Amino acid sequence: MNAIVVLCHFCELHGPRTLFCTEVLHAPLPQGPGNGDSPGQEEEEGGIQMSSRICSHSPAEGASADSSSPGPKKSDMCEGCRSLPAGHPGYVSHDKETSIKYVSHQHPNHPHLFSIVRQACVRSLSCEVGPGLPPGLVRSFLHSLALPCKVCPGREGPIFFGDEQHGFVFSHTFFIKDSLARGFQRWYSIITVMMDRIYLINSWPFLLGKIRGIIDELQGKALKVFEAEQYGCPQRAQRMNTAFTPFLHQRNGNAARSLTSLTNDENLWACLHTSFAWLLKACGSRLTEKLLEGAPTEDTLVQMEKLADLEEESESWDNSEEEGEKPSSRVDVGEGRELVKSPTDSSLTLDCSSWNGGVRIQPVFRSLRHLRQVLGASAFHMLAWHVLMGNQVIWKARDPDLVQSAFDVLRTMLPVGCVRIIPYSDKYEEAYKCNFLGLAPHVPVPPHILSSEFAVLVEVRTATRSSLYPVLFDDEQALSKYEFVVTSGSPVVADRVGPTILNKIEAALTNQNLLVDVVDQCLICLKEEWMNKVKVLFKFTKVDSRPKEDTQKLLSILGASEEDNVKLLKFWMTGLSKTYKSHLMSTVRSPTSSSSESRN
C-alpha cells in the first residue's frame, strides 16, 4: 500500500506537530554496475516518486542528518512534540517477499513529502475537527496558514479530506488523558495519507477498525497513568485553589509531556512501528487491482452487490457491538477488552498469518469433467439438467468437504446470482432458501420432495466391491470407497434434447483435446451468451410488456423456443443484478424517454 501513516499531536505551545510516521520504501529499479548510489537514483517513497533522495537510516548517518532535515528546529520543539531522541536512527522492517521496507521516524526525510504530511497534520487537528478544540488555539494557526475551516460534527472520530495535489487523508482524532493538561486531556490524531482516493475510500472500514484498536490501546494505558496520578495528587482541587492565575505559568514547566510518559510505556514507538507497518502491509494485501475489458459481466455486478451487502452487515454488527460496550467503564477498555483488530504489542505478528488466508483443503472434485467421470455420463446428465433448470440439488454424505467440493464444481454452470447454497445442514431446508443443499446421511427428506420433478437427490454411500470407482490417479483414493446414486422423481429421459447449453457443455467435457482451463473459458463464454439472451427477454417481457405472440417470435430468433430453453431463461432471469434491473427500469421509464415516445 503506497501510503504513509502518521501520529499527530496538537501541542499547547507549538500547535500541530507530527510525532511519528511510518512510510513505504520500494526497492529502486535495477541499475547498471557502479550506478547504485548515483545522484539520479529514483525511489518511490510514501506512494510519491522521489528523485535524488539520500537514504539515511543508519545510526551513523541518522545523527548527522538533523541539520538538513525538513522538520522543525530543536528550539521549536518541546518534550510533547518529540518522539525519538536526537540521533535515533528510527525503525526499519524488511519485507523479503516484496522487497519493501517499512521505515518509521518522526518526520519524512523528503521535503515535498514532509510538506504534504505537515499540511495533513494541520488540517487533521485544526480544520477538520469538531468543536472540542479550544477555538483560540485553532484560529491563530488557521490565520497564519490561510486554511479554510471545515468543521466536522463530533469531537472524536474519523473523517476523510484531501485533493489531487496534496493527497487524500483518512484521519481519526482522539483524546489522551493527562492530569497536567488543559481540560485533563491532550489532542491527537492518526492519519493515513495517499494519492489514490478510490483505494483509500474502499479501505475505510478496514482502516477504521484497525486504527480504532490502536487508539483504544493508547487510551487504556494513558487512563491507568492518569488515575494513578489523580489518586496521588488530585489536580482539580489544586487548580480550584489557585483561581485567576494564568494557567500556562502555574505548572512549573510541566505543560509538555511525551506520549511515553503519558502511557508509561518505554517501548511505545517500537510497538507503533510494528502496528503501522502491519497496517500498511495488510491494507495493501486485502485489495488488488484487476483489469476488466469492456463492460462488467453480470457475475461481476452480482459479486460486487453481495460484497457491499456483507460490508454493510459487518458495519451494522460492529455498531451494535460498540453500543453494547458503551455502558462499560473506560478502565475496561484498556484492561479487559482484547484488541483483536490491531494489537500493538509483540503478539501482532501472530495476526500476520491471516494475510495468506490460511491453508486450503484440497478439493475432492478437481473440475466439472472430473465430476462427470466419477458419476458417469447418464447420472451427470440428469444432475446437470436439474442444476441448469434451477431445481433443488440435494447431496447426502458423511463428508462435508466432499459435498462442498461438489457444489463448488456444479455452481460454475450457473450465474452467480442464481446460486443459493447451504453446504451442510442437520435438517431439510425448503427450495426457496437454497437450490444446493448438503445433508448428513441420517437427515430425512420429505416424501413429496423425493417424488417431485423439481428436485434431484445424490446419495454418497459406502461402495461395495462390485461398484468400486476405478482409481485413475493417486489423489482419488478418497473417492474409491464411495458409491454415488443419483435419483429424481422425474428422471430425464435419455432421448430428451434438453437445453442447448447443456448439450454444448457435455460436448466440451467429452472432447479430450480440450484442456480443463479451456473448458472453463468455454463455460464462461456459454454463460455470457445465454445471459445476454436473458437480458433481451427481460427487457422484452418485463419492461416493454410485449404480448405472448411477440415473445414466441423473439424466442425463435434467439434459438431458445424449446421448453427446456424457456425454463432455463426464466430461471436465469432471477440471477440478473439489481444494478442492471434498476438501470433498465429507470432508463425506460424516465420522463425524457416518455416524452420522446409521446412526440413520436
Side-chain angles (χ1 to χ4, degrees):
M1 179 179 175
N2 290 329
I4 181 169
V5 183
V6 188
L7 174 65
C8 307
H9 167 52
F10 194 101
C11 178
E12 296 178 356
L13 302 178
H14 304 103
R17 286 287 188 263
T18 58
L19 280 182
F20 194 76
C21 66
T22 302
E23 55 185 308
V24 180
L25 297 183
H26 294 267
L29 297 176
Q31 302 288 336
N35 295 332
D37 298 328
S38 61
Q41 179 179 349
E42 294 187 352
E43 188 167 355
E44 193 172 295
E45 178 177 3
I48 303 173
Q49 193 74 14
M50 300 298 176
S51 59
S52 302
R53 179 182 185 278
I54 302 176
C55 299
S56 58
H57 299 296
S58 63
E61 296 172 341
S64 62
D66 294 337
S67 59
S68 60
S69 174
K73 299 179 181 179
K74 292 182 178 180
S75 58
D76 297 336
M77 297 177 62
C78 61
E79 191 68 22
C81 301
R82 185 181 298 110
S83 57
L84 302 179
H88 194 286
Y91 300 94
V92 182
S93 295
H94 300 267
D95 188 352
K96 297 181 180 180
E97 296 180 357
T98 58
S99 300
I100 291 178
K101 296 180 182 178
Y102 298 93
V103 182
S104 296
H105 33 208
Q106 181 160 355
H107 307 287
N109 288 333
H110 197 278
H112 180 51
L113 186 57
F114 172 81
S115 175
I116 293 177
V117 171
R118 168 65 177 167
Q119 184 177 19
C121 171
V122 172
R123 294 186 64 179
S124 172
L125 293 171
S126 300
C127 310
E128 318 290 347
V129 297
L133 203 61
L137 294 175
V138 177
R139 290 195 187 98
S140 59
F141 287 95
L142 293 181
H143 179 73
S144 61
L145 297 173
L147 290 176
C149 181
K150 187 169 59 178
V151 178
C152 160
R155 305 179 66 183
E156 297 181 274
I159 193 172
F160 178 87
F161 59 89
D163 52 55
E164 296 288 346
Q165 181 179 1
H166 300 96
F168 299 94
V169 182
F170 171 87
S171 171
H172 197 301
T173 52
F174 61 98
F175 286 114
I176 291 291
K177 284 292 185 179
D178 182 7
S179 60
L180 300 181
R182 178 181 302 179
F184 298 105
Q185 57 190 5
R186 296 187 183 274
W187 187 252
Y188 289 86
S189 71
I190 296 179
I191 62 175
T192 303
V193 187
M194 67 183 309
M195 304 303 295
D196 193 337
R197 177 177 61 90
I198 302 299
Y199 198 101
L200 188 58
I201 291 177
N202 289 331
S203 302
W204 175 287
F206 176 82
L207 291 174
L208 179 59
K210 304 306 177 184
I211 291 179
R212 186 66 249 179
I214 299 175
I215 293 173
D216 288 344
E217 185 79 9
L218 293 175
Q219 290 178 333
K221 293 179 179 179
L223 186 60
K224 294 180 181 179
V225 177
F226 173 79
E227 291 180 340
E229 293 177 349
Q230 287 292 90
Y231 180 79
C233 181
Q235 292 290 321
R236 188 178 298 276
Q238 182 178 355
R239 295 182 187 182
M240 293 289 291
N241 295 331
T242 57
F244 307 106
T245 303
F247 181 72
L248 290 178
H249 297 283
Q250 71 181 18
R251 290 176 291 174
N252 299 324
N254 292 329
R257 300 179 66 185
S258 64
L259 189 58
T260 54
S261 174
L262 295 177
T263 58
N264 193 24
D265 186 359
E266 296 297 331
N267 298 322
L268 176 66
W269 306 118
C271 293
L272 281 180
H273 165 74
T274 306
S275 300
F276 287 173
W278 180 90
L279 185 68
L280 290 170
K281 179 174 176 61
C283 191
S285 302
R286 62 183 293 271
L287 295 177
T288 56
E289 295 181 347
K290 184 178 181 181
L291 179 61
L292 298 177
E293 298 181 357
T297 63
E298 282 300 302
D299 286 355
T300 304
L301 292 176
V302 173
Q303 288 173 349
M304 293 172 62
E305 292 173 353
K306 290 184 177 181
L307 180 60
D309 294 339
L310 287 176
E311 290 182 351
E312 291 180 0
E313 184 178 355
S314 62
E315 289 178 4
S316 64
W317 276 105
D318 293 340
N319 295 334
S320 63
E321 290 177 359
E322 291 178 1
E323 292 177 358
E325 292 173 358
K326 282 183 180 179
S328 61
S329 62
R330 296 296 298 272
V331 182
D332 295 336
V333 173
E335 295 180 352
R337 181 170 174 237
E338 183 181 2
L339 298 178
V340 180
K341 288 187 175 180
S342 182
T344 55
D345 54 11
S346 58
S347 63
L348 179 67
T349 54
L350 298 177
D351 293 340
C352 301
S353 60
S354 62
W355 299 347
N356 297 327
V359 180
R360 290 185 59 86
I361 301 177
Q362 187 70 18
V364 180
F365 299 103
R366 299 186 302 272
S367 62
L368 206 60
R369 175 181 288 173
H370 182 214
L371 179 62
R372 185 176 184 272
Q373 293 174 350
V374 173
L375 298 180
S378 59
F380 176 81
H381 180 82
M382 179 190 302
L383 179 62
W385 184 87
H386 283 279
V387 170
L388 293 173
M389 293 296 104
N391 299 334
Q392 190 175 39
V393 178
I394 306 172
W395 278 66
K396 298 183 68 173
R398 296 183 181 275
D399 187 3
D401 294 333
L402 184 144
V403 177
Q404 183 64 56
S405 179
F407 289 166
D408 291 341
V409 172
L410 291 173
R411 68 184 300 172
T412 59
M413 293 192 295
L414 292 177
V416 175
C418 296
V419 178
R420 303 183 309 279
I421 296 180
I422 297 181
Y424 208 71
S425 177
D426 292 333
K427 64 177 183 178
Y428 172 77
E429 300 289 349
E430 295 293 339
Y432 71 89
K433 294 183 179 179
C434 60
N435 55 340
F436 290 97
L437 176 62
L439 297 175
H442 64 275
V443 178
V445 179
H448 71 278
I449 299 298
L450 295 175
S451 60
S452 173
E453 60 178 343
F454 303 109
V456 60
L457 175 64
V458 181
E459 295 183 272
V460 183
R461 306 172 181 173
T462 303
T464 59
R465 289 184 175 272
S466 59
S467 59
L468 285 175
Y469 170 72
V471 179
L472 302 178
F473 303 97
D474 294 337
D475 56 355
E476 292 181 353
Q477 292 289 343
L479 292 174
S480 62
K481 57 184 179 181
Y482 293 130
E483 177 185 1
F484 300 87
V485 181
V486 182
T487 58
S488 176
S490 177
V492 180
V493 183
D495 57 352
R496 188 168 180 174
V497 178
T500 306
I501 188 174
L502 176 57
N503 299 329
K504 292 184 178 180
I505 290 175
E506 289 185 319
L509 295 177
T510 55
N511 189 349
Q512 298 298 326
N513 295 325
L514 300 179
L515 299 176
V516 176
D517 295 338
V518 178
V519 174
D520 293 339
Q521 293 299 320
C522 178
L523 188 59
I524 294 175
C525 294
L526 288 174
K527 287 195 297 183
E528 281 302 305
E529 175 189 352
W530 282 82
M531 282 303 293
N532 290 333
K533 297 180 181 180
V534 169
K535 292 179 180 180
V536 174
L537 183 62
F538 176 80
K539 183 180 184 303
F540 199 82
T541 57
K542 303 297 182 181
V543 180
D544 297 342
S545 301
R546 299 294 184 91
K548 293 184 178 180
E549 294 77 8
D550 294 344
T551 304
Q552 291 297 329
K553 295 179 181 179
L554 175 65
L555 292 173
S556 300
I557 296 174
L558 296 177
S561 58
E562 293 80 4
E563 180 183 359
D564 287 347
N565 288 330
V566 175
K567 290 182 179 179
L568 182 142
L569 292 176
K570 290 182 178 180
F571 168 59
W572 283 29
M573 199 178 294
T574 62
L576 288 174
S577 63
K578 299 177 183 177
T579 304
Y580 174 78
K581 291 180 179 179
S582 60
H583 171 72
L584 193 61
M585 300 292 286
S586 61
T587 302
V588 174
R589 297 178 180 178
S590 61
T592 305
S593 61
S594 60
S595 61
S596 61
E597 289 176 0
S598 61
R599 292 174 184 176
N600 295 333

